[in-house]
Amino acid sequence: MLPPAATPDGLAARCTRVLFSPWCRLGLLLALLACAAAMTLWWQPQHLLTGGRPAQLSGPAALVVFALAYGACTTAFVPRPVLNLAAGALFGSQAGLAGALAGTVLGAALAFGLGRLLGQDALRPLLRARWLTAADRQLSEHGFRSMLAIRLFPGLPFCATNYCAAVSRMGWLPYLVATALGSIPNTAAYAVAGARASSPTSPAFLVAMGFIAVSALGALVVAWYKRKALRGH
């Protein structure tokens, strides 16, 4: 006796389960990131440092468009220092800092939301290595403190840390607040450096570059001690 044919409803339900399965959602996330990276390579946002902004954009509208583009670019792994320098070069220290911070929080939120929605269910079961579970526990249990330290001492790629945080059980509020507060010092330094790049011997430019160098050294020291701590768990 032949088995009964699958009903349309049963077939639709199975297709829906497959399409919304963790691994299909992870594949969609990777495809989106690949498309975003390709678009970024085509657009080449680093040209903002030399070409300036389009002539038809000026005032607050230009700053809003820049912040939106900044957020989108960071989800595609564009380095924040390039965008921060461009913010200062295009809008000056204060307005550039405001636009860069807005773009930073927007990009962090986009990456966190995409990672949480499309990648968390597939990737959490893979956190079996000791150092991975220790890092996940640190982010999940001490989210604000951990993210604040990551932003204050930027030693890891911004977008990668966003997706790693999304895989953890960190909450939205501590993640975004820590990102906004912790990103201020380095973002301000890069914005000042970009605004004063035409006068590299000015005190403001030298102080900004000195701060960037000190924060980079601090990031190396913190990463070294954190590495030893994670191995000890």
Side-chain angles (χ1 to χ4, degrees):
M1 181 177 179
L2 295 174
T7 62
D9 290 341
L11 179 61
R14 284 198 295 272
C15 290
T16 301
R17 283 196 298 272
V18 171
L19 288 175
F20 286 93
S21 66
W23 287 104
C24 276
R25 282 183 285 153
L26 179 61
L28 175 60
L29 174 61
L30 296 176
L32 288 174
L33 292 180
C35 291
M39 288 295 293
T40 301
L41 289 174
W42 173 75
W43 180 45
Q44 296 181 340
Q46 67 273 16
H47 288 169
L48 288 172
L49 290 171
T50 55
R53 62 176 180 260
Q56 61 270 28
L57 287 177
S58 61
L63 194 61
V64 170
V65 170
F66 178 85
L68 294 174
Y70 185 117
C73 285
T74 57
T75 62
F77 297 93
V78 176
R80 283 183 66 243
V82 174
L83 299 173
N84 292 335
L85 289 170
L90 294 174
F91 302 103
S93 301
Q94 296 181 357
L97 171 60
L101 277 178
T104 294
V105 176
L106 174 62
L110 286 173
F112 192 83
L114 286 172
R116 183 61 56 91
L117 178 65
L118 300 177
Q120 187 186 48
D121 292 341
L123 294 177
R124 279 203 67 81
L126 303 179
L127 301 177
R128 296 194 181 101
R130 186 173 59 180
W131 69 274
L132 284 175
T133 56
D136 175 64
R137 184 168 57 251
Q138 183 73 18
L139 288 172
S140 299
E141 296 176 3
H142 309 286
F144 178 82
R145 184 177 69 190
S146 301
M147 188 53 58
L148 186 65
I150 289 172
R151 301 311 191 199
L152 285 172
F153 299 101
L156 296 173
F158 177 75
C159 195
T161 57
N162 294 338
Y163 289 115
C164 289
V167 175
S168 74
R169 293 190 174 92
M170 181 187 300
W172 274 90
L173 185 60
Y175 168 76
L176 291 178
V177 174
T179 295
L181 294 177
S183 299
I184 291 174
N186 272 276
T187 304
Y190 276 103
V192 170
R196 302 300 178 90
S198 59
S199 53
T201 58
S202 65
F205 181 84
L206 294 176
V207 169
M209 295 304 296
F211 181 86
I212 292 169
V214 170
S215 65
L217 180 61
L220 291 176
V221 173
V222 171
W224 173 260
Y225 281 103
K226 282 294 182 182
R227 178 172 170 266
K228 291 175 64 176
L230 290 175
R231 282 189 171 184
H233 280 74

